């Protein structure tokens, strides 16, 4: 329900505002499995229906149309009243003044009132229709600021601008007070956020799940020593968007042991227990009532776990130990993992996301099913998408819940799990595919390791069943590549395939292999060389004994035992029904190289989903001058929802009026960046120079180093010329870098330092002047991108993965 002061807004939406034009059509499927394996991908179509797919008569639709909200929109006067109400009655600042920070919070709370009406109605429809719902699990959601995006999607930008003007403020200045939500860093998180916006806009029933990081990745400062990191402060005075759901929390367990009960079932007992509490953030669609949820988990323990006796005895750290261990799970995005403690914390984060989200999803499924729970229908109501390998533990966790807690057998649970989850791959670099220490995982999640071992054993049987007729070396290569468990012996049930009873002796080797016709005791292994230098690998026992006194025994080098690991990407491929890359060429590399063996085994699993960015945030809202031009020349705003409409601009490509308007729009955006760079870095640049921009996380394979080397070369060539030659041979260029180097990634931080040092040299060279500038923008985030990208003349995409990614990759 709306908050009290939202009542007048409710009147603008009409009494039927809780009923939205939603319908559901359940999918049907057949499951085909081989008799010998449970790894065959079900031949079915997994999809979530658009909730506007089936047209029905509805009061709201009949009044205003399924996309037109104008007849329900509050006017500037009612918005002014709402902002004043929140400034006075839901304050987070002193009452004396109405300055910008206070104006932002009051405005955001007013917007949230409008969202709550749609949000509650969306919840209600999902519950009543019990439709299939998609759940997008990601360690990152790079949201950016929410205010302008929310009022833009609600088509209330003008009304809020007028309301704030009535109160003495400018909308753009108020919006600038909002900190970026520190929930992500790279392309993984930006893709996730764009997906949520598009899912809501297209009226798909979907939710996002993530973690509520208190301090984010870090806030980046650039000093004479390079990059420095400080904690993000985005939650320091709270977020006006999030709603804590105190009635939604789930237990999370770590460590402990697994025992077999008298009923023969496996029980995970003991260990460390915490709870995950839900914080919901509304995600509104564009020109639709649909408002979906991003549910973020925060970790804590009950107050009873605070050790009051220890505190009163002066042992303050010990008293708070349980709280500290729980809360630190959601402190930092990607905590440093050089140490054992850092690795444990990262794995705790991943498991918390998976366990809390699945418990929530299963609880919702049970509630909607009522007294008629049919677990075989779970995949017909639930689709879980794993954004990269961080949520891989969804697979063993879903198995654990279904088997240990819900009483299903292995085959039933595995069938459901495979039909429910799917995997998005983000990298083709083999070294970037996530692996975890088996020993660490066994210590932290002992029951899950048992389940992973069982999945791996079934996979081995599937591979042997499929490729058993191959040469043994080729079969062994396939097993080595495809197994989930790395550096493990083969299960005893298949090890016999690789025992060769007849082995030859090779005089040129240092090993002896014994034929079954020769007694092993007749020979001994040596590494001697004869007078000619030729190695002799076999001597009789008698002659060997004579040499014993002549030689000093040498202790052999201890064998290096490779670390046992769990390959998370392989588990994703095996445990899910679909695998997708994020660009066509990327998906082809995934099939042909990264997971080629899996593709040969299950070609039906592999598909492509090309990355996209929402045209609302990235054109319509952050680039108003260009948006106006597109609307003018296409004759409609339909392109905001149907980007294929942009193709209509092609027929005007040679039109000089369009070209001039386009240039002017670009220049106006560049003028904003000129002011921004001066404010943030102190450097002055000219707007008529080419803006050459590379903005993405700092990494060796992203090739910022290659870019800056090119700039150094250009600078060297300029210095070798006269002023007249420079002016003839070079156009003015501003090279802009932005991105964060991971705090413990020394080489990446050196690259940042090198870029800033080169910039300091070039930018203060009076001979070069405005012909070349190099600027590193500190603390790159979505809000900075919304300034830089509309002003970019040349966007650098030179990553070493052989695929071009969008600006946040």
């Amino acid at each position: 329900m709306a908050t009290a002061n939202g009542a007048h807004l409710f009147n603008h939406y009409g009494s039927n505002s809780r009923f939205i034009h939603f319908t559901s059509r359940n999918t049907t499927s057949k499951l085909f499995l081989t008799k010998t394996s449970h790894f065959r991908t079900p031949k079915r179509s997994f999809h979530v229906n658009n909730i506007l797919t089936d047209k029905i008569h509805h009061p709201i639709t009949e009044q205003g149309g399924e996309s037109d909200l104008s007849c329900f929109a509050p006017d500037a006067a009612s918005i002014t009243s709402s902002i004043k109400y929140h400034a006075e009655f839901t304050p987070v600042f002193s009452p004396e003044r109405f300055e910008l920070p206070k104006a932002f919070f009051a405005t955001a709370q007013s917007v949230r009132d409008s969202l709550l009406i749609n949000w509650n109605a969306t919840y209600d429809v999902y519950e009543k229709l019990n439709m299939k719902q998609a759940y997008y699990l990601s360690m990152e959601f790079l949201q950016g600021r929410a205010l302008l995006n929310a009022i833009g999607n609600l088509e209330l930008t003008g009304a809020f601008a007028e309301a704030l003007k009535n109160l003495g403020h400018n909308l753009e200045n108020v919006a600038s007070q909002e900190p970026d939500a520190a929930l992500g860093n790279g392309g993984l998180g930006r893709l996730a956020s764009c997906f949520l916006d598009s899912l809501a806009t297209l009226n798909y029933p979907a939710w996002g799940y993530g973690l509520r990081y208190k301090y984010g990745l870090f806030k980046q400062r650039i000093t004479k020593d390079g990059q420095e990191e400080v904690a993000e402060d985005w939650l320091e005075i709270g977020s006006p968007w999030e709603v804590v759901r105190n009635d939604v929390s789930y237990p999370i367990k770590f460590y402990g042991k697994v025992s077999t009960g008298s009923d023969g079932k496996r029980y995970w007992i003991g260990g460390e227990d915490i709870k995950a509490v839900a914080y919901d953030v509304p995600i509104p669609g564009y020109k639709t009532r649909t408002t979906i949820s991003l549910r973020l988990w925060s970790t804590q323990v009950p107050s009873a776990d605070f050790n009051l006796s220890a505190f009163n005895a002066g042992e303050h750290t010990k008293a708070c130990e349980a709280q500290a261990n729980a809360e630190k799970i959601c402190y930092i995005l990607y905590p440093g993992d050089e140490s054992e403690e850092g690795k444990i914390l990262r794995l705790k984060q991943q498991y918390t996301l998976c366990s809390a989200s699945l418990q929530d999803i299963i609880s919702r499924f049970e509630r909607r099913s009522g007294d008629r729970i049919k677990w075989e229908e779970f995949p017909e109501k639930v689709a879980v998408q794993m954004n990269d390998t961080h949520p891989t533990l969804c697979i063993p966790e879903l198995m654990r819940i279904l088997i240990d807690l819900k009483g299903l057998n292995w085959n039933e649970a595995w069938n459901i799990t495979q039909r429910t989850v799917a995997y998005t791959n983000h990298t083709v670099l083999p070294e970037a595919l996530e692996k975890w220490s088996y020993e660490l995982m066994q210590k932290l999640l002992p029951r899950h390791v048992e389940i992973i071992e069982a999945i791996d054993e079934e996979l081995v049987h599937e591979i042997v069943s499929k490729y058993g007729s191959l040469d043994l070396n080729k079969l062994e290569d396939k097993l080595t590549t495809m197994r989930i468990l790395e550096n493990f012996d083969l299960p005893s049930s298949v090890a016999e395939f690789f025992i060769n009873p007849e082995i030859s002796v090779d005089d040129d080797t240092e090993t002896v292999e014994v034929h079954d016709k020769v007694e092993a005791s007749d020979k001994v292994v040596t590494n001697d060389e004869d007078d000619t230098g030729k190695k002799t690998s076999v001597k009789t026992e008698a002659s060997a004994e004579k040499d014993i006194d002549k030689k000093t025994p040498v202790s052999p080098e201890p064998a290096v035992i490779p670390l046992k690991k769990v390959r998370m990407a392989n588990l994703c491929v095996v445990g899910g029904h679909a695998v997708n890359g994020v660009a066509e060429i990327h998906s082809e590399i995934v099939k042909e190289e990264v997971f080629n063996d899996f593709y040969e085994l299950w070609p039906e699993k592999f598909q492509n989903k090309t990355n996209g960015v929402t045209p609302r945030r990235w054109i319509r809202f952050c680039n108003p001058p260009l948006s106006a031009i597109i609307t003018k020349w296409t004759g409609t705003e339909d392109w905001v929802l149907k980007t294929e409409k942009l193709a209509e601009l092609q027929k005007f490509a040679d039109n000089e009026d369009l070209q001039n308007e386009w240039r002017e729009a670009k220049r106006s955006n560049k003028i904003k960046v000129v002011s921004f760079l001066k404010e943030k870095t102190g450097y002055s640049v000219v707007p008529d120079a080419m803006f050459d921009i590379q903005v993405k996380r700092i990494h060796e394979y992203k090739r910022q180093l290659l870019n800056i080397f090119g700039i150094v070369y250009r600078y060297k060539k300029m210095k070798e010329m006269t002023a007249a030659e420079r002016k003839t041979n070079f156009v003015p260029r501003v090279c802009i870098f932005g991105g964060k180097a991971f705090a413990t990634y020394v080489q990446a931080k050196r690259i940042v330092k090198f870029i800033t040092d080169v910039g300091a040299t070039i930018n203060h060279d009076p001979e070069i002047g405005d012909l070349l500038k190099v600027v590193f923008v500190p603390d790159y985030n979505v809000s900075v991108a919304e300034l830089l990208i509309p002003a970019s003349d040349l966007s650098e995409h030179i990553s070493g993965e052989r695929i071009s990614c969008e600006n946040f990759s």
Side-chain angles (χ1 to χ4, degrees), residues 538-559:
V538 179
K539 288 191 176 184
T540 65
E541 190 170 328
S543 63
E545 287 177 355
K546 293 179 182 179
D547 292 338
I548 291 176
D549 293 333
K550 298 179 182 178
K551 299 194 174 185
T552 303
V554 178
S555 299
E557 294 269 337

Side-chain angles (χ1 to χ4, degrees), residues 142 182 184-185 215-222 227-230 232 695-699 704 738-743 745 748-749 752 776-781:
L142 195 59
N185 177 51
Y215 301 118
L217 184 72
F218 57 81
K219 186 176 287 187
Q220 182 192 56
R221 292 176 179 168
I222 301 298
Q227 172 183 291
E228 291 184 0
E229 306 89 23
V230 296
E232 285 274 10
V695 282
K696 52 186 76 236
R697 61 188 173 90
I698 309 298
H699 197 288
Q704 287 93 350
K740 296 179 180 180
F742 188 63
Y745 190 176
K749 294 176 77 170
V752 174
F776 192 99
V777 179
D779 205 35
Y780 179 67
N781 56 23

Side-chain angles (χ1 to χ4, degrees), residues 364-375:
R364 187 173 301 111
F365 171 76
E366 291 178 320
R367 183 179 67 249
R368 292 179 181 177
S369 299
D371 297 332
R372 182 188 158 277
I373 299 176
K374 293 186 177 180
W375 288 106

Side-chain angles (χ1 to χ4, degrees), residues 299-587:
T299 45
Q300 57 186 248
V301 292
S303 298
D305 285 3
F306 178 75
N307 192 332
L308 193 59
S309 298
F311 192 86
N312 288 330
E315 298 179 275
H316 300 155
T317 302
K318 179 181 177 182
C320 302
E321 188 175 5
Q323 279 86 349
N325 284 336
E327 291 173 4
K328 71 182 181 182
I329 292 172
C330 292
Y331 273 173
I332 300 292
L333 169 64
Y334 302 140
D337 59 355
E338 299 296 316
S339 66
E340 183 77 359
E341 283 299 313
K343 291 181 175 68
I344 290 171
L345 188 57
R346 280 214 189 186
L347 193 55
K348 280 186 171 182
Q349 287 184 332
Q350 293 187 6
Y351 179 61
T352 297
L353 170 64
C354 295
S355 181
S357 301
L358 283 172
Q359 289 183 70
D360 194 43
I361 292 166
I362 288 170
S363 173
R364 187 173 301 111
F365 171 76
E366 291 178 320
R367 183 179 67 249
R368 292 179 181 177
S369 299
D371 297 332
R372 182 188 158 277
I373 299 176
K374 293 186 177 180
W375 288 106
E376 65 272 16
E377 295 179 357
F378 187 77
E380 305 306 325
K381 297 296 182 182
V382 172
V384 174
Q385 188 71 32
M386 302 180 294
N387 192 27
D388 211 13
T389 54
H390 306 125
T392 306
L393 289 169
C394 280
I395 294 167
E397 175 67 358
L398 183 54
M399 291 289 289
R400 182 190 72 85
I401 293 173
L402 293 175
I403 295 171
D404 296 357
L405 304 183
K406 305 303 177 183
L408 277 67
N409 64 41
W410 176 274
N411 292 343
E412 291 169 336
W414 184 241
N415 183 359
I416 291 168
T417 299
Q418 277 200 308
R419 294 166 58 206
T420 299
V421 301
Y423 162 52
T424 296
N425 171 271
H426 280 267
T427 182
V428 300
L429 296 176
E431 63 271 22
L433 295 176
E434 196 174 25
K435 299 178 184 179
W436 280 103
S437 160
Y438 172 84
E439 182 182 0
L440 185 151
M441 187 177 286
Q442 189 176 46
K443 179 170 66 173
L444 191 69
L445 303 169
R447 179 60 176 136
H448 298 76
V449 168
E450 288 186 347
I451 293 169
I452 291 170
E453 288 173 338
I455 295 172
D456 180 72
E457 184 168 353
E458 285 209 11
L459 174 63
V460 169
H461 282 283
E462 169 75 359
I463 296 169
V464 172
S465 173
K466 176 74 173 179
Y467 300 108
S469 59
L470 289 178
D471 173 83
L472 285 182
N473 290 331
K474 291 182 179 179
L475 177 58
E476 192 168 10
D477 287 344
K478 281 201 175 287
L479 287 168
T480 300
T481 302
M482 299 175 71
R483 287 191 67 182
I484 297 165
L485 300 177
E486 185 176 81
N487 300 322
F488 275 73
D489 292 335
L490 288 170
S492 58
S493 54
V494 298
E496 62 186 33
F497 280 91
F498 299 91
I499 297 175
N500 191 344
E502 185 166 306
I503 311 172
S504 63
V505 180
D506 186 347
D507 287 341
D508 292 327
T509 69
E510 298 186 39
T511 62
V512 171
E513 299 179 274
V514 185
H515 288 268
D516 54 3
K517 296 179 181 178
V518 181
E519 293 294 331
S521 60
D522 290 342
K523 301 188 179 184
V524 294
V525 180
T526 74
N527 288 316
D528 296 339
E529 292 184 350
D530 61 17
D531 293 339
T532 65
K534 183 178 179 180
K535 292 181 180 179
T536 56
S537 57
V538 179
K539 288 191 176 184
T540 65
E541 190 170 328
S543 63
E545 287 177 355
K546 293 179 182 179
D547 292 338
I548 291 176
D549 293 333
K550 298 179 182 178
K551 299 194 174 185
T552 303
V554 178
S555 299
E557 294 269 337
V560 177
I561 301 175
L563 183 66
K564 293 181 177 180
K565 295 182 179 181
V566 181
R567 296 163 165 163
M568 306 305 270
N570 287 20
L571 180 54
C572 285
V573 176
V574 173
H577 66 265
V579 180
N580 73 276
V582 294
E584 187 174 356
I585 187 171
H586 175 196
S587 298

Side-chain angles (χ1 to χ4, degrees), residues 26 81 147 234 245 253 263 300 433 664 697 723 741 744 809:
N26 293 337
S81 299
L147 179 59
W234 75 290
R245 306 291 187 185
K253 181 185 289 293
D263 55 1
Q300 57 186 248
L433 295 176
E664 187 56 38
R697 61 188 173 90
T744 59
S809 61

